Amino acid sequence: MRYLHSMIRVRDLDAALTFFCDQLGLKEVRRKESEAGRFTLVFLAAPDDVTGPDQTAPLIELTWNWDPEDYGTARNFGHLAFAVDDIYATCHRLMEAGVTINRPPRDGYMAFVRSPDLISVELLQKGEPLPKAEPWASMPNTGVW
């Protein structure tokens, strides 16, 4: 397992970048715009964690949703993310331990679970997605993440 990033929803992307980059000193290492999803993702790393063009230590993912949304005081922090060697085996092990798989890995790539304190944890298959497989491919979502 390798820790990937923590996601924070931001209300004002420019203000967030001013704080994290200009004031705190983090570096923007990657950006993704989704017209269809109406969001922008900006990945930041501490300067000492940037080791190459695509190699960084854990990141902060700033998520800016283009449409206004009131996050209140709890929805602005999104999730922790980890890459795993085998997403199906990891989810099976978690289920055996009594953990609810809120978003099963139907695509062979991504799943979500929640900690006892309701922190969302994203699990991502290392490398390419695994071939779709049951029971995961037809398993419905449970609750929220």
Side-chain angles (χ1 to χ4, degrees):
M1 180 183 299
R2 183 171 66 91
Y3 180 71
L4 298 176
H5 65 261
S6 293
M7 185 269 267
I8 303 169
R9 288 183 179 87
V10 299
R11 292 171 179 87
D12 180 331
L13 184 58
D14 291 333
L17 288 171
T18 296
F19 171 76
F20 284 106
C21 295
D22 298 343
Q23 297 169 339
L24 198 56
L26 299 182
K27 303 294 182 197
E28 181 175 332
V29 295
R30 192 167 70 245
R31 183 181 288 240
K32 177 185 177 189
E33 307 252 351
S34 174
E35 187 75 34
R38 300 192 46 74
F39 63 84
T40 301
L41 306 179
V42 179
F43 293 87
L44 308 175
D48 290 348
D49 289 337
V50 179
T51 56
D54 293 316
Q55 299 173 343
T56 60
L59 303 170
I60 292 177
E61 172 190 321
L62 301 181
T63 297
W64 178 58
N65 293 307
W66 300 353
D67 300 314
E69 182 179 344
D70 180 12
Y71 301 123
T73 58
R75 279 215 9 98
N76 61 323
F77 180 80
H79 61 265
L80 303 174
F82 296 91
V84 297
D85 290 324
D86 183 327
I87 196 157
Y88 295 143
T90 299
C91 287
H92 179 76
R93 181 175 47 78
L94 290 169
M95 281 181 63
E96 290 289 312
V99 174
T100 299
I101 308 300
N102 300 100
R103 194 280 191 194
R106 289 184 293 274
D107 54 5
Y109 182 70
M110 177 180 66
F112 274 90
V113 297
R114 293 181 90 180
S115 78
D117 294 302
L118 306 180
I119 301 297
S120 291
V121 178
E122 179 180 22
L123 304 171
L124 296 169
Q125 174 64 41
K126 285 182 186 174
E128 295 298 314
L130 298 179
K132 291 182 181 181
E134 294 297 341
W136 312 107
S138 60
M139 188 179 290
N141 293 340
T142 303
V144 296
W145 60 91

